[in-house]
C-alpha cells in the first residue's frame, strides 16, 4: 500500500502497534517467566504507543490534507507474526527483536518523510527511540 499522506502514515503506525500488541499478548503466554513479564509490560507500553499515534493524528488533522508524501510504501514494513513458533525461546526472542526492528525502521523512515511537519516527525522519532530501547531490553533479558 502506498503511504501518500500524513493520515495513511499514522494509520499504518496504528496498525503496526495494534498487531505488535496482539503478538506480545500471545508471546506472554508462550515464553519463559522472564519473557512473559517483559511481554506483559510491552503490551501496556504498546497501548501507550497507540494512544500517542492516535493523539498526534487527531491533533494534526488539518495538516493531513496539505502534506503529500512521495515514494513511501508499507510493503517494506510488512511483518508476518509467526504464531507457529515451536516454543523455542530463542526463536521467539529473535522474532520479537525483528518485530521491534521493523517498528524502529518504520518510525525513522516516516519521520524523515514528514519533515514538513516537525512536531509529528519529532513524535515519530521518539517512538523509534522507545522501540529501540525495548529491543535493547529484550536483548538483555536472561535466557
Amino acid at each position: 500500500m502506498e503511504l501518500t499522506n500524513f493520515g495513511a502514515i499514522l494509520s499504518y503506525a496504528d496498525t503496526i502497534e495494534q498487531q505488535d500488541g496482539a503478538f506480545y499478548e500471545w508471546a506472554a503466554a508462550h515464553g519463559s517467566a522472564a519473557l512473559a513479564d517483559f511481554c506483559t509490560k510491552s503490551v501496556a507500553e504498546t497501548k501507550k504507543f497507540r494512544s500517542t499515534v492516535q493523539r498526534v493524528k487527531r491533533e494534526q488533522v488539518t495538516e493531513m490534507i496539505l502534506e503529500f508524501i512521495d515514494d513511501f510504501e508499507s510493503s517494506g514494513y510488512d511483518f508476518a507474526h509467526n504464531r507457529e513458533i515451536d516454543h523455542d525461546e530463542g526463536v521467539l526472542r529473535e522474532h520479537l527483536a525483528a518485530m521491534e526492528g521493523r517498528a524502529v525502521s518504520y518510525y525513522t523512515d516516516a519521520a524523515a518523510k514528514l519533515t514538513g511537519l516537525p512536531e509529528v516527525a519529532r513524535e515519530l522519532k521518539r517512538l523509534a527511540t522507545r522501540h529501540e530501547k525495548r529491543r535493547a531490553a529484550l536483548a538483555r533479558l536472561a535466557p
Side-chain angles (χ1 to χ4, degrees):
M1 170 174 72
E2 194 168 355
L3 303 172
T4 59
N5 60 43
F6 165 86
I9 287 175
L10 290 179
S11 291
Y12 192 73
D14 188 48
T15 298
I16 287 173
E17 296 299 346
Q18 181 181 20
Q19 291 172 349
D20 289 358
F23 190 78
Y24 269 120
E25 286 179 3
W26 179 87
H30 293 86
S32 66
L35 187 59
D37 184 52
F38 173 83
C39 290
T40 300
K41 290 176 183 174
S42 294
V43 168
E45 193 174 37
T46 298
K47 288 178 183 177
K48 291 178 185 176
F49 294 170
R50 281 192 76 198
S51 292
T52 297
V53 167
Q54 292 167 354
R55 177 186 51 79
V56 168
K57 188 174 180 181
R58 271 192 319 273
E59 289 175 357
Q60 301 292 328
V61 71
T62 57
E63 305 297 330
M64 288 173 59
I65 299 167
L66 303 175
E67 185 75 12
F68 180 77
I69 308 301
D70 190 32
D71 195 33
F72 196 43
E73 296 275 334
S74 65
S75 60
Y77 307 97
D78 289 340
F79 192 82
H81 290 286
N82 184 1
R83 286 183 170 82
E84 301 300 318
I85 295 172
D86 61 355
H87 303 290
D88 181 331
E89 181 92 9
V91 173
L92 181 55
R93 286 172 184 249
E94 287 174 14
H95 186 81
L96 292 170
M99 184 176 81
E100 290 298 333
R102 178 271 307 250
V104 170
S105 294
Y106 180 76
Y107 285 123
T108 301
D109 295 346
K113 291 290 186 180
L114 292 171
T115 56
L117 299 168
E119 308 86 27
V120 177
R122 194 171 24 259
E123 284 292 333
L124 295 177
K125 288 176 188 173
R126 191 171 68 76
L127 285 165
T129 300
R130 292 174 75 184
H131 277 279
E132 185 58 48
K133 286 180 181 178
R134 190 157 66 184
R135 183 168 56 175
L138 175 63
R140 288 190 306 270
L141 277 180

